[in-house]
Amino acid sequence: MEFGSAPEDEVFRGEVRDWLDTHVEPDADRRSWERTLGAAGWIGLGWAEGGYGNRTATLTQQVAWAEEYARSAAPPRSGHIGENLLAPTLIAHGSGEQKARFLPPVAAGEELWCQGYSEPGAGSDLAGVRTAAVREADGYRVSGQKIWTSLAHEADWCFVLARTEPGSRRHHGLSFLLVPMDQPGRVEVRPIRQMTGTSDFNEVFFDGAHARAEHVVGGEGNGWRVAMSLLGFERGVSTLAQQIGFAEELGRVVRDAVRTGAADDPVVRERLVRQWAELRVMRWNALRTLGGAAAEPGAPSVAKLLWGGWHQRLGELAVLVRGAAAGVGPADWSPAAPYELDAAQHLFLFSRADTVYGGSDQVQRTIIAERVLGLPREPKGVES
């Protein structure tokens, strides 16, 4: 049985479709769209503890919501980091005061979050972070740089992994801090322009930014445990919604292949069929992990390897089936940002990063080798 096929889930799915048909505004302002979702009760499904969420939904109904949202071509979410990463982390590790302060604004779509993990010298090697948080009388003074920070230019808050114990190394002495972004002169956001001409990621500079003492999640020095717990939530229900988007992209590539005649090539046909089959495998693996297998060592790394490589290969296919026409944009080229790309060109260029961000393929393979296969640990260089 597929997820969401029970009678009560079909009723829920119909309710989702009716609401989306009525409310979806493709060009809606992202922040106002979050408030619309929150007011209608569609943020925080399944937050059973404390009544901080909105609607009560089973896991299968959460999947139905995520998949129908993706199928409807609803506006991109800017609140998903707060809803899908911060919120379950607070529910698992936060104090009662932290939950009461931060969960209701997330559920209402009123406060947006970004993730302060990666740094220029510590991207996939998260334990190498150097951002420091120095204890003061009423909190912490945070200094350092984060990079590849999605939605930092829109966020009200950032959860920051920082070193609170001077002289500590690797995963020791780290803390998980909640830092307000509206601190002029202390927090600076610089967009990073990508090959697509857009800026989906940012650099964030903290120059003595203030974090309150009561906004340390899990207690001082326990940041590594909290950070690893959050990464486990990153591969949840949203993975299935991501695959709906992948299926839409694959469908466009297949249609282009038929239109251009590239589908007559048996090699191209074999690659298209392989993409379809691998996407089905990813769905079954995602359903398996939702059933409890996510706790298996290496499961998140396997999922990341699967979808990162798959999506990158799809981008290559998207331009292959177009032939020489793939090199011509929909409008005259301009050095101004953003320049215009069609869907296939954007897919190809953006997907080049899929095997890097969120943990590079090399790091994922190392995790699997060490934690699943029990191979000797990779030696770490000595920090200067």
Side-chain angles (χ1 to χ4, degrees):
M1 177 181 291
E2 292 284 339
F3 257 63
S5 60
E8 63 272 21
D9 297 326
E10 286 300 327
V11 172
F12 180 84
R13 174 167 278 163
E15 182 183 353
V16 169
R17 288 171 177 162
D18 291 344
W19 188 87
L20 288 168
D21 287 343
T22 304
H23 291 83
V24 168
E25 302 175 44
D27 298 322
D29 170 76
R30 286 161 67 112
R31 185 176 286 271
S32 65
W33 177 243
E34 290 298 318
R35 290 195 290 266
T36 299
L37 290 172
W42 292 110
I43 300 177
L45 303 182
W47 296 358
E49 181 182 323
Y52 296 116
N54 285 306
R55 300 168 185 252
T56 299
T58 65
L59 180 59
T60 57
Q61 290 172 337
Q62 292 173 53
V63 172
W65 157 250
E67 291 188 336
E68 294 305 319
Y69 188 94
R71 286 192 181 99
S72 73
R77 293 287 309 278
S78 56
H80 66 91
I81 294 176
E83 178 185 9
N84 298 321
L85 298 185
L86 175 74
T89 302
L90 284 182
I91 290 171
H93 301 284
S95 66
E97 292 77 11
Q98 290 169 348
K99 296 173 189 177
R101 164 60 186 86
F102 292 109
L103 292 181
V106 170
E110 296 290 345
E111 288 184 350
L112 305 181
W113 286 80
C114 61
Q115 177 177 353
Y117 272 20
S118 296
E119 299 182 4
S124 298
D125 181 19
L126 188 58
V129 299
R130 296 173 182 266
T131 294
V134 179
R135 188 66 187 263
E136 297 181 319
D138 59 345
Y140 297 84
R141 187 175 68 254
V142 182
S143 298
Q145 179 186 357
K146 297 295 181 177
I147 198 167
W148 311 122
T149 310
S150 300
L151 303 176
H153 58 294
E154 300 181 21
D156 304 296
W157 289 81
C158 181
F159 49 87
V160 178
L161 189 64
R163 202 162 290 282
T164 50
E165 181 183 331
S168 61
R169 298 186 61 233
R170 304 304 299 165
H171 59 277
H172 302 288
L174 297 172
S175 296
F176 190 98
L177 308 174
L178 309 180
V179 182
M181 294 291 283
D182 186 14
Q183 300 190 53
R186 296 184 176 185
V187 179
E188 180 185 359
V189 178
R190 299 181 189 173
I192 299 173
R193 187 181 181 189
Q194 300 160 244
M195 288 191 296
T196 55
T198 57
S199 299
D200 301 278
F201 307 111
N202 305 271
E203 295 177 281
V204 180
F205 296 85
F206 298 101
D207 186 8
H210 182 71
R212 296 172 62 175
E214 62 267 31
H215 292 169
V216 180
V217 180
E220 184 177 305
N222 294 319
W224 183 254
R225 177 172 61 89
V226 178
M228 292 300 100
S229 174
L230 182 143
L231 290 178
F233 297 127
E234 194 170 14
R235 318 279 193 234
V237 169
S238 59
T239 301
L240 288 160
Q242 177 193 53
Q243 292 167 13
I244 297 297
F246 286 172
E248 294 293 329
E249 291 176 335
L250 176 58
R252 286 197 295 268
V253 173
V254 171
R255 290 191 293 272
D256 276 347
V258 172
R259 178 179 56 81
T260 62
D264 296 333
D265 184 335
V267 174
V268 172
R269 285 204 306 273
E270 189 274 337
R271 290 182 62 177
L272 290 170
V273 171
R274 181 177 292 274
Q275 291 289 133
W276 176 85
E278 290 176 350
L279 183 58
R280 297 300 296 175
V281 169
M282 285 193 290
R283 175 177 175 80
W284 292 327
N285 184 64
L287 293 173
R288 182 182 68 89
T289 58
L290 285 178
E296 297 175 1
S301 294
V302 170
K304 176 60 171 61
L305 281 173
L306 285 173
W307 75 253
W310 184 93
H311 201 224
Q312 196 170 88
R313 292 190 297 276
L314 183 67
E316 294 165 357
L317 259 178
V319 294
L320 173 66
V321 302
R322 295 273 299 281
V328 181
D332 290 340
W333 184 85
S334 168
Y339 41 79
E340 289 193 52
L341 300 171
D342 62 32
Q345 293 165 335
H346 186 277
L347 170 60
F348 171 71
L349 291 176
F350 189 86
S351 63
R352 306 317 298 166
D354 284 337
T355 52
V356 178
Y357 71 81
S360 70
D361 277 13
Q362 291 86 347
V363 167
Q364 305 304 335
R365 291 189 178 100
T366 297
I367 291 172
I368 294 170
E370 294 177 354
R371 301 181 187 176
V372 179
L373 303 179
L375 298 178
R377 297 184 66 84
E378 181 183 36
K380 304 293 183 182
V382 178
E383 294 182 359
S384 58

